[in-house]
């Protein structure tokens, strides 16, 4: 399966672009849910194209899976131009959670996908932007 990254603008009420949500799609224009395919797409694209080219002077909002963290993909981005979106599965895995917190200490911005007011989120709330 071939996976692609699609850049979707995030706009304010005045139609100014604030950043870009980077989404993973396959050749059938279906959202990619396979972590390995998404990780391969991001790694391959960033090997050939700079993160600057992907989002210009605006921040890139990118969902991070375990595979992307394992491949150290956040380090390929300027920490000022990346918002790491973390899924629930990352929060409950202690090793992945530690990696995310290390990136946060390094200056990367962290967001949570589908946040819920549940106890498993409370320990990381002070690290979320």
């Amino acid at each position: 399966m071939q996976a692609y990254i699609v850049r979707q603008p995030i706009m304010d009420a005045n139609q100014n672009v604030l950043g870009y949500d980077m989404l993973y799609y396959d050749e059938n224009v279906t959202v990619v849910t396979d972590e390995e395919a998404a990780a391969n797409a991001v790694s391959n694209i960033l090997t050939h194209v700079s993160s600057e080219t992907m989002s210009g002077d605006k921040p890139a909002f990118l969902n991070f899976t375990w595979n992307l963290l394992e491949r150290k993909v956040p380090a390929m981005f300027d920490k000022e131009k990346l918002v790491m979106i973390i899924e629930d599965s990352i929060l409950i895995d202690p090793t992945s959670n530690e990696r995310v917190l290390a990136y946060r200490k390094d200056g990367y911005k962290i967001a949570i996908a589908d946040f819920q007011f549940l106890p498993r989120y409370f320990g990381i709330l002070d690290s979320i932007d």
Side-chain angles (χ1 to χ4, degrees):
M1 173 180 64
Q2 182 70 34
Y4 303 92
I5 296 178
V6 177
R7 185 173 85 162
Q8 177 177 311
I10 300 170
M11 304 171 98
D12 66 13
N14 296 320
Q15 301 299 307
N16 297 313
V17 176
L18 302 174
Y20 293 98
D21 192 8
M22 303 298 182
L23 306 169
Y24 317 122
Y25 285 89
D26 67 16
E27 63 269 6
N28 298 317
V29 193
T30 304
V31 175
V32 174
T33 56
D34 179 345
E35 273 195 39
E36 189 68 26
N40 286 337
V42 172
S43 295
N44 289 338
I45 287 172
L46 288 175
T47 301
H48 298 93
V49 175
S50 73
S51 60
E52 180 92 8
T53 302
M54 284 178 61
S55 63
D57 63 345
K58 306 293 183 191
F61 289 72
L62 189 64
N63 282 309
F64 278 87
T65 63
W66 180 86
N67 280 317
L68 291 173
L69 290 173
E70 187 69 20
R71 294 177 189 207
K72 299 179 173 67
V73 169
M76 296 177 169
F77 286 84
D78 177 344
K79 58 184 89 176
E80 298 299 319
K81 293 189 178 174
L82 177 67
V83 177
M84 296 174 61
I85 302 173
I86 305 304
E87 302 283 332
D88 188 50
S89 61
I90 299 294
L91 291 176
I92 59 176
D93 176 51
T95 304
S96 298
N97 198 355
E98 287 175 20
R99 285 200 175 120
V100 169
L101 293 176
Y103 280 112
R104 177 66 178 108
K105 287 179 186 173
D106 228 19
Y108 287 86
K109 293 177 185 73
I110 309 294
I112 296 179
D114 302 319
F115 174 79
Q116 300 171 29
F117 246 102
L118 296 172
R120 68 177 168 257
Y121 292 100
F122 297 162
I124 197 169
L125 278 179
D126 60 343
S127 298
I128 303 304
D129 295 291

